[in-house]
Amino acid sequence: MLIKTFGSAVQGVHAYTITVEVSVSAGTKYFMVGLPDNAVKESEQRIESALKQYGYKIPRQKIVINLAPADIRKEGSSYDLTIAMGILAASGQISDSKVSQYMIMGELSLDGSLRPIKGVLPIAIQARKEGFKGFILPAQNAQEAAIVNNLEVIGVNNILEAIEFLDGAREIEPLVINTRELFGNTADQYAADFSDVQGQENIKRALEIAAAGGHNLIMIGPPGAGKTMLAKRLPSILPPLSMHEALETTKIHSVAGKLGEAASLMTTRPYRSPHHTISDVALVGGGGVPQPGEISLSHNGVLFLDELPEFKRTVLEVMRQPLEERRVTISRAKTTIDFPANFMLVASMNPCPCGYYNHPEKECVCGPGVVQRYLNKVSGPLLDRIDLHVEVTPVTFDEMTATRKAEDSASVRERVMQAREVQTERFKDMPQIHSNAMMPSQMVKEVCQINEAGRALLKTAMERLGLSARAYDRILKVSRTIADLAGSDEIKIEHLAEAIQYRSLDREGWAG
């Protein structure tokens, strides 16, 4: 008897339906074909042990299992439940009337219980798209799959529950989640808040500008000045995730297996802070089975690189293209996979190896030329993609002990959202551009027009401060954002003057 059950393979952030064809006929051998890896081949032992626990068995006949399409490599242990249900239906141990109506996925333990699997959200989206009635999967993953409406999500704890459900002996209520309600209740709940930071008003202002225009930012300052503390609070002032962004972000974390058990929709912007020993592949993505890297996990959120010069040069260089294109393309001999990577880069660094160059009180002990050599670890082309350079000075004792309550994240977010609304209106005919930072060079001339006085100021600044030519576009984009925050249609001279201040590292001889 030939039976078809259905599972799914995930490539990148998309799922592809896999048909598991099971044929039971006269003979004694067990064959599995269709490009399975070792984990899939080993399913026979897991299935046999799990079925034995509940009085079922793999028949001692010729069993051929084909995983189609045969040219896609099948990886991992999540096909155990799919294959087991196919064998039981093909050998007449359970009814075959319902098995083809459901997408079935899950990894089996030897005692018959089910373990959670990766990539549930893209699989559920594909199951609904292809018209399946429902999705049978481990109970730990049910919350995640239930984000997708118009699909029955049947969470099971062990193989017996799945068998009895498909055989009609047990009723299992599909899990239903009101996604809109969940999204509304948990959006923007961040543990860290801007009101925790005393002083540092100029840095908070720079972060507000970065959030309003989607600009990348670097903070330079001595250890203990509050760079990491400020960066952690940046997601709390970014505009709330839209439903589309939340689904896109959840999908990436689902594929990477980073959602955790009983997790569902991600409703806050991701914040990723990898250690400086990270490899190129871990940052950008890749591997034998291409997986999203840190820059894709921070899609729609913030990627914070602490101690930027300590990162390997090659790691920083591979980030240049994703910063421009806002996606990562991973090419293999047989396939090319795209991962989205639209993130805000926030970096921090000490001004020198000892950390006290330009410090108001402590003396720098670095030798001549050491400071410049340290700054040169960060390449010009990477700095070129960072719009705001901010110098962070230590907080004074008076500021630290002040009783005055600092402004909270909600108030700052209000201003950021108003500025973003202006930009949404500005770029409404260009679906690829969402913020000022994404403007291409030709558009900067059109959108960021300045008057004669502004032109004269910019010319003087470039000559006096020794600003590089690449700083020109960046200054105009940032000044456009500052004008948006101020509710001004045109870029005024004070907006330009503030933007010029945020180019510290472009000044010739900044490091003496």
Side-chain angles (χ1 to χ4, degrees):
M1 189 173 176
L2 175 69
I3 288 291
K4 291 183 182 182
T5 56
F6 298 91
S8 192
V10 177
Q11 287 188 347
V13 289
H14 301 291
Y16 301 89
T17 298
I18 301 294
T19 305
V20 178
E21 300 172 331
V22 183
S23 167
V24 176
S25 55
T28 54
K29 278 228 167 184
Y30 181 99
F31 297 98
M32 188 180 286
V33 295
L35 217 58
D37 74 349
N38 282 339
V40 181
K41 286 176 189 167
E42 289 162 358
S43 65
E44 182 189 357
Q45 315 303 327
R46 290 191 294 273
I47 292 167
E48 189 162 32
S49 174
L51 290 177
K52 212 176 270 181
Q53 301 294 322
Y54 299 106
Y56 295 89
K57 62 182 192 300
I58 293 181
R60 293 287 169 254
Q61 290 171 275
K62 181 183 177 186
I63 298 174
V64 180
I65 297 162
N66 177 38
L67 309 173
D71 60 341
I72 294 179
R73 189 158 176 75
K74 321 304 179 304
E75 286 150 340
S77 50
S78 53
Y79 299 101
D80 291 2
L81 194 60
T82 329
I83 295 166
M85 292 303 120
I87 291 170
L88 290 172
S91 59
Q93 294 178 68
I94 64 168
S95 162
D96 62 354
S97 59
K98 284 163 82 173
V99 287
S100 60
Q101 296 173 16
Y102 290 85
M103 179 76 73
I104 306 169
M105 296 289 281
E107 179 189 339
L108 284 168
S109 295
L110 296 183
D111 64 357
S113 60
L114 284 166
R115 295 177 184 274
I117 59 173
K118 284 183 184 179
V120 165
L121 183 56
I123 295 170
I125 290 168
Q126 187 64 19
R128 181 182 65 182
K129 196 170 161 189
E130 296 200 8
F132 283 95
K133 183 180 179 184
F135 185 7
I136 299 170
L137 77 168
Q140 298 100 310
N141 295 121
Q143 295 263 3
E144 189 187 327
I147 296 169
V148 181
N149 53 15
N150 302 329
L151 182 77
E152 281 185 20
V153 174
I154 310 294
V156 291
N157 294 298
N158 54 52
I159 193 169
L160 182 65
E161 289 181 17
I163 290 169
E164 289 181 348
F165 174 76
L166 289 172
D167 213 15
R170 179 192 290 251
E171 280 292 317
I172 299 177
E173 272 300 303
L175 180 66
V176 178
I177 288 179
N178 185 332
T179 318
R180 298 270 162 203
E181 195 178 298
L182 168 79
F183 189 62
N185 292 343
T186 55
D188 289 335
Q189 289 184 359
Y190 296 95
D193 196 276
F194 254 39
S195 59
D196 308 334
V197 184
Q198 293 288 5
Q200 301 292 27
E201 298 307 322
N202 60 326
I203 318 302
K204 288 183 190 170
R205 168 71 177 164
L207 287 171
E208 185 182 328
I209 293 166
H215 302 287
N216 300 323
L217 171 135
I218 184 166
M219 294 179 274
I220 314 109
K227 303 187 291 291
T228 308
M229 188 181 184
L230 284 154
K232 265 190 186 149
R233 282 152 181 75
L234 181 58
S236 70
I237 64 166
L238 287 168
L241 282 171
S242 66
M243 185 56 111
H244 173 70
E245 286 176 327
L247 277 168
E248 208 175 30
T249 309
T250 309
K251 216 196 253 190
I252 297 165
H253 285 251
S254 171
V255 168
K258 303 278 186 196
L259 278 180
E261 286 187 19
S264 58
L265 191 65
M266 285 184 69
T267 53
T268 54
R269 291 192 178 271
Y271 171 85
R272 306 290 300 181
S273 178
H275 192 258
H276 61 252
T277 53
I278 192 169
S279 68
D280 313 16
V281 170
L283 186 74
V284 175
V289 182
Q291 286 285 302
E294 288 291 334
I295 63 173
S296 292
L297 291 169
S298 53
H299 177 65
N300 289 326
V302 175
L303 177 69
F304 178 53
L305 302 184
D306 201 0
E307 303 304 339
L308 191 67
E310 301 302 331
F311 282 80
K312 291 202 293 281
R313 184 81 175 220
T314 53
V315 171
L316 296 179
E317 295 308 298
V318 291
M319 264 189 5
R320 280 157 53 180
Q321 186 197 5
L323 275 169
E324 287 290 309
E325 297 189 359
R326 301 187 184 266
R327 64 187 167 85
V328 179
T329 304
I330 295 162
S331 297
R332 292 286 175 270
K334 287 188 177 176
T335 181
T336 299
I337 291 168
D338 272 2
F339 286 116
N342 182 14
F343 60 95
M344 263 180 77
L345 174 65
V346 179
S348 78
M349 60 186 279
N350 291 332
C352 65
C354 82
Y356 295 111
Y357 179 76
N358 268 352
H359 194 283
E361 289 149 23
K362 298 191 181 176
E363 196 157 328
C364 173
V365 295
C366 301
V370 172
V371 179
Q372 192 60 55
R373 232 183 356 264
Y374 183 73
L375 292 176
N376 285 347
K377 282 187 178 180
V378 183
S379 72
L382 181 65
L383 280 179
D384 178 25
R385 289 160 174 81
I386 299 177
D387 301 355
L388 295 127
H389 309 160
V390 195
E391 289 175 64
V392 185
T393 50
V395 182
T396 64
F397 181 77
D398 290 344
E399 283 178 323
M400 223 183 307
T401 54
T403 50
R404 184 173 61 85
K405 188 94 169 124
E407 190 177 26
D408 66 356
S409 294
S411 313
V412 182
R413 195 191 308 123
E414 279 300 314
R415 297 197 293 272
V416 167
M417 285 164 67
Q418 282 169 8
R420 285 284 181 119
E421 278 167 24
V422 173
Q423 291 163 54
T424 305
E425 182 58 32
R426 180 180 295 138
F427 304 123
K428 63 175 184 233
D429 299 330
M430 285 153 275
Q432 298 306 312
I433 300 173
H434 308 294
S435 62
N436 289 335
M438 296 166 102
M439 276 191 283
S441 293
Q442 63 270 27
M443 196 185 279
V444 172
K445 291 186 179 69
E446 192 184 309
V447 174
C448 307
Q449 293 183 354
I450 50 176
N451 57 22
E452 250 344 287
R455 217 170 276 118
L457 172 71
L458 203 45
K459 184 177 182 226
T460 310
M462 292 191 78
E463 288 168 358
R464 286 241 184 104
L465 300 172
L467 293 177
S468 60
R470 68 169 175 254
Y472 179 76
D473 266 12
R474 304 283 164 186
I475 288 171
L476 287 177
K477 284 183 188 179
V478 173
S479 59
R480 180 64 267 168
T481 302
I482 295 168
D484 289 345
L485 276 167
S488 169
D489 289 340
E490 56 186 67
I491 298 171
K492 294 179 181 165
I493 200 154
E494 60 266 28
H495 304 145
L496 259 178
E498 188 178 354
I500 290 164
Q501 286 179 345
Y502 299 126
R503 295 304 300 184
S504 319
L505 290 177
D506 273 336
R507 293 177 203 160
E508 285 173 7
W510 181 83

